[in-house]
mmCIF file of all heavy atoms in Angstrom:
data_model
loop_
_atom_site.group_PDB
_atom_site.id
_atom_site.type_symbol
_atom_site.label_atom_id
_atom_site.label_comp_id
_atom_site.label_asym_id
_atom_site.label_seq_id
_atom_site.Cartn_x
_atom_site.Cartn_y
_atom_site.Cartn_z
ATOM 1 N N THR A 32 37.138 16.543 -1.233
ATOM 2 C CA THR A 32 37.035 16.552 -2.719
ATOM 3 C C THR A 32 37.782 17.887 -3.177
ATOM 4 O O THR A 32 37.772 18.876 -2.513
ATOM 5 C CB THR A 32 35.755 16.521 -3.314
ATOM 6 O OG1 THR A 32 34.906 17.685 -2.740
ATOM 7 C CG2 THR A 32 34.954 15.299 -2.921
ATOM 8 N N GLN A 33 38.207 17.862 -4.378
ATOM 9 C CA GLN A 33 38.738 19.103 -4.931
ATOM 10 C C GLN A 33 38.241 19.098 -6.367
ATOM 11 O O GLN A 33 38.602 18.392 -7.264
ATOM 12 C CB GLN A 33 40.320 18.963 -5.000
ATOM 13 C CG GLN A 33 40.819 20.434 -4.999
ATOM 14 C CD GLN A 33 42.323 20.384 -4.685
ATOM 15 O OE1 GLN A 33 42.969 19.501 -4.598
ATOM 16 N NE2 GLN A 33 42.748 21.604 -4.378
ATOM 17 N N ILE A 34 37.276 19.917 -6.588
ATOM 18 C CA ILE A 34 36.530 19.851 -7.776
ATOM 19 C C ILE A 34 37.020 21.111 -8.732
ATOM 20 O O ILE A 34 36.927 22.277 -8.273
ATOM 21 C CB ILE A 34 35.058 20.113 -7.585
ATOM 22 C CG1 ILE A 34 34.542 18.765 -6.861
ATOM 23 C CG2 ILE A 34 34.288 20.141 -8.906
ATOM 24 C CD1 ILE A 34 33.102 18.905 -6.254
ATOM 25 N N GLU A 35 37.528 20.821 -9.920
ATOM 26 C CA GLU A 35 38.247 21.697 -10.839
ATOM 27 C C GLU A 35 37.219 22.304 -11.717
ATOM 28 O O GLU A 35 37.286 23.499 -12.161
ATOM 29 C CB GLU A 35 39.329 21.155 -11.600
ATOM 30 C CG GLU A 35 40.233 20.278 -10.783
ATOM 31 C CD GLU A 35 41.332 21.252 -10.085
ATOM 32 O OE1 GLU A 35 41.512 22.256 -10.574
ATOM 33 O OE2 GLU A 35 41.907 20.754 -8.968
ATOM 34 N N ARG A 36 36.183 21.547 -12.168
ATOM 35 C CA ARG A 36 35.210 22.058 -13.098
ATOM 36 C C ARG A 36 33.829 21.792 -12.495
ATOM 37 O O ARG A 36 33.581 20.754 -11.980
ATOM 38 C CB ARG A 36 35.326 21.238 -14.332
ATOM 39 C CG ARG A 36 34.373 21.691 -15.478
ATOM 40 C CD ARG A 36 34.769 20.697 -16.807
ATOM 41 N NE ARG A 36 33.634 21.111 -17.735
ATOM 42 C CZ ARG A 36 33.291 20.410 -18.737
ATOM 43 N NH1 ARG A 36 34.183 19.231 -19.060
ATOM 44 N NH2 ARG A 36 32.455 20.737 -19.718
ATOM 45 N N PRO A 37 32.932 22.882 -12.575
ATOM 46 C CA PRO A 37 31.491 22.668 -11.977
ATOM 47 C C PRO A 37 30.903 21.416 -12.459
ATOM 48 O O PRO A 37 30.929 21.078 -13.571
ATOM 49 C CB PRO A 37 30.794 23.987 -12.358
ATOM 50 C CG PRO A 37 31.771 24.933 -12.813
ATOM 51 C CD PRO A 37 33.067 24.063 -13.238
ATOM 52 N N ILE A 38 30.208 20.806 -11.514
ATOM 53 C CA ILE A 38 29.358 19.570 -11.873
ATOM 54 C C ILE A 38 27.873 19.914 -11.633
ATOM 55 O O ILE A 38 27.635 20.413 -10.414
ATOM 56 C CB ILE A 38 29.826 18.338 -11.240
ATOM 57 C CG1 ILE A 38 31.242 18.109 -11.280
ATOM 58 C CG2 ILE A 38 29.088 17.143 -11.549
ATOM 59 C CD1 ILE A 38 31.969 17.172 -10.455
ATOM 60 N N HIS A 170 30.957 20.714 -1.803
ATOM 61 C CA HIS A 170 32.405 20.937 -2.282
ATOM 62 C C HIS A 170 33.242 20.752 -1.029
ATOM 63 O O HIS A 170 32.718 20.665 0.134
ATOM 64 C CB HIS A 170 32.532 22.347 -2.839
ATOM 65 C CG HIS A 170 32.222 23.510 -2.015
ATOM 66 N ND1 HIS A 170 32.693 24.798 -2.102
ATOM 67 C CD2 HIS A 170 31.347 23.533 -1.050
ATOM 68 C CE1 HIS A 170 32.221 25.530 -1.215
ATOM 69 N NE2 HIS A 170 31.305 24.884 -0.518
ATOM 70 N N GLY A 171 34.657 20.791 -1.232
ATOM 71 C CA GLY A 171 35.318 20.543 -0.091
ATOM 72 C C GLY A 171 35.133 19.114 0.682
ATOM 73 O O GLY A 171 35.117 18.144 0.006
ATOM 74 N N LEU A 200 29.212 28.901 -8.070
ATOM 75 C CA LEU A 200 30.241 28.008 -8.571
ATOM 76 C C LEU A 200 31.271 28.802 -9.163
ATOM 77 O O LEU A 200 32.455 28.305 -9.419
ATOM 78 C CB LEU A 200 29.678 26.948 -9.506
ATOM 79 C CG LEU A 200 28.614 25.985 -8.912
ATOM 80 C CD1 LEU A 200 28.229 25.052 -9.940
ATOM 81 C CD2 LEU A 200 29.190 25.207 -7.693
ATOM 82 N N LYS A 201 31.054 29.993 -9.760
ATOM 83 C CA LYS A 201 32.104 30.731 -10.427
ATOM 84 C C LYS A 201 33.169 31.203 -9.386
ATOM 85 O O LYS A 201 34.347 31.213 -9.735
ATOM 86 C CB LYS A 201 31.482 32.064 -10.847
ATOM 87 C CG LYS A 201 30.577 31.904 -12.064
ATOM 88 C CD LYS A 201 30.228 33.257 -12.556
ATOM 89 C CE LYS A 201 28.760 33.173 -13.124
ATOM 90 N NZ LYS A 201 28.068 34.531 -13.067
ATOM 91 N N ASP A 203 33.572 29.430 -6.186
ATOM 92 C CA ASP A 203 33.895 28.376 -5.400
ATOM 93 C C ASP A 203 33.287 27.143 -6.087
ATOM 94 O O ASP A 203 32.084 26.804 -6.004
ATOM 95 C CB ASP A 203 33.065 28.629 -3.966
ATOM 96 C CG ASP A 203 33.884 27.939 -2.815
ATOM 97 O OD1 ASP A 203 34.856 27.278 -3.126
ATOM 98 O OD2 ASP A 203 33.637 28.209 -1.692
ATOM 99 N N CYS A 204 34.141 26.433 -6.773
ATOM 100 C CA CYS A 204 33.774 25.433 -7.617
ATOM 101 C C CYS A 204 33.231 24.248 -6.872
ATOM 102 O O CYS A 204 33.590 23.964 -5.646
ATOM 103 C CB CYS A 204 34.972 24.904 -8.493
ATOM 104 S SG CYS A 204 34.553 23.941 -9.885
ATOM 105 N N GLY A 205 32.250 23.544 -7.346
ATOM 106 C CA GLY A 205 31.647 22.490 -6.612
ATOM 107 C C GLY A 205 30.575 21.839 -7.453
ATOM 108 O O GLY A 205 30.673 21.852 -8.693
ATOM 109 N N TRP A 206 29.910 20.932 -6.724
ATOM 110 C CA TRP A 206 28.889 19.992 -7.270
ATOM 111 C C TRP A 206 27.504 20.384 -6.780
ATOM 112 O O TRP A 206 27.248 20.373 -5.666
ATOM 113 C CB TRP A 206 29.278 18.511 -6.920
ATOM 114 C CG TRP A 206 28.377 17.399 -7.370
ATOM 115 C CD1 TRP A 206 27.350 17.553 -8.408
ATOM 116 C CD2 TRP A 206 28.314 16.141 -6.836
ATOM 117 N NE1 TRP A 206 26.710 16.343 -8.390
ATOM 118 C CE2 TRP A 206 27.246 15.469 -7.511
ATOM 119 C CE3 TRP A 206 29.048 15.387 -5.829
ATOM 120 C CZ2 TRP A 206 27.015 14.132 -7.273
ATOM 121 C CZ3 TRP A 206 28.709 14.228 -5.644
ATOM 122 C CH2 TRP A 206 27.815 13.456 -6.307
ATOM 123 N N LEU A 238 28.133 28.116 -17.586
ATOM 124 C CA LEU A 238 29.284 27.972 -16.549
ATOM 125 C C LEU A 238 30.365 27.026 -16.934
ATOM 126 O O LEU A 238 31.374 26.947 -16.176
ATOM 127 C CB LEU A 238 28.564 27.354 -15.172
ATOM 128 C CG LEU A 238 27.834 28.294 -14.312
ATOM 129 C CD1 LEU A 238 27.119 27.391 -13.270
ATOM 130 C CD2 LEU A 238 28.818 29.355 -13.526
ATOM 131 N N GLY A 239 30.097 26.285 -18.139
ATOM 132 C CA GLY A 239 31.197 25.323 -18.403
ATOM 133 C C GLY A 239 31.105 24.086 -17.589
ATOM 134 O O GLY A 239 32.015 23.346 -17.435
ATOM 135 N N ALA A 240 29.865 23.802 -17.035
ATOM 136 C CA ALA A 240 29.840 22.654 -15.922
ATOM 137 C C ALA A 240 29.647 21.306 -16.875
ATOM 138 O O ALA A 240 29.043 21.350 -17.983
ATOM 139 C CB ALA A 240 28.604 22.929 -15.191
ATOM 140 N N VAL A 241 29.889 20.278 -16.241
ATOM 141 C CA VAL A 241 29.550 18.903 -16.762
ATOM 142 C C VAL A 241 28.234 18.665 -16.185
ATOM 143 O O VAL A 241 27.989 18.730 -14.943
ATOM 144 C CB VAL A 241 30.534 17.882 -16.153
ATOM 145 C CG1 VAL A 241 30.290 16.468 -16.840
ATOM 146 C CG2 VAL A 241 32.002 18.319 -16.328
ATOM 147 N N LEU A 251 33.597 12.005 -10.879
ATOM 148 C CA LEU A 251 34.317 13.236 -11.329
ATOM 149 C C LEU A 251 34.665 14.058 -10.143
ATOM 150 O O LEU A 251 35.834 14.757 -10.252
ATOM 151 C CB LEU A 251 33.335 13.959 -12.312
ATOM 152 C CG LEU A 251 33.000 13.377 -13.704
ATOM 153 C CD1 LEU A 251 31.897 14.237 -14.246
ATOM 154 C CD2 LEU A 251 34.318 13.546 -14.445
ATOM 155 N N ALA A 252 33.894 14.119 -9.081
ATOM 156 C CA ALA A 252 34.139 14.997 -7.999
ATOM 157 C C ALA A 252 35.247 14.422 -7.120
ATOM 158 O O ALA A 252 35.701 14.963 -6.213
ATOM 159 C CB ALA A 252 32.917 15.213 -7.157
ATOM 160 N N GLY A 253 35.697 13.091 -7.420
ATOM 161 C CA GLY A 253 36.581 12.467 -6.503
ATOM 162 C C GLY A 253 35.936 12.013 -5.167
ATOM 163 O O GLY A 253 36.691 11.823 -4.147
#
Side-chain angles (χ1 to χ4, degrees):
T32 60
Q33 207 164 13
I34 299 171
E35 311 278 333
R36 182 180 172 190
I38 308 167
H170 60 156
L200 297 181
K201 286 185 216 155
D203 212 349
C204 200
W206 175 15
L238 279 169
V241 186
L251 289 171

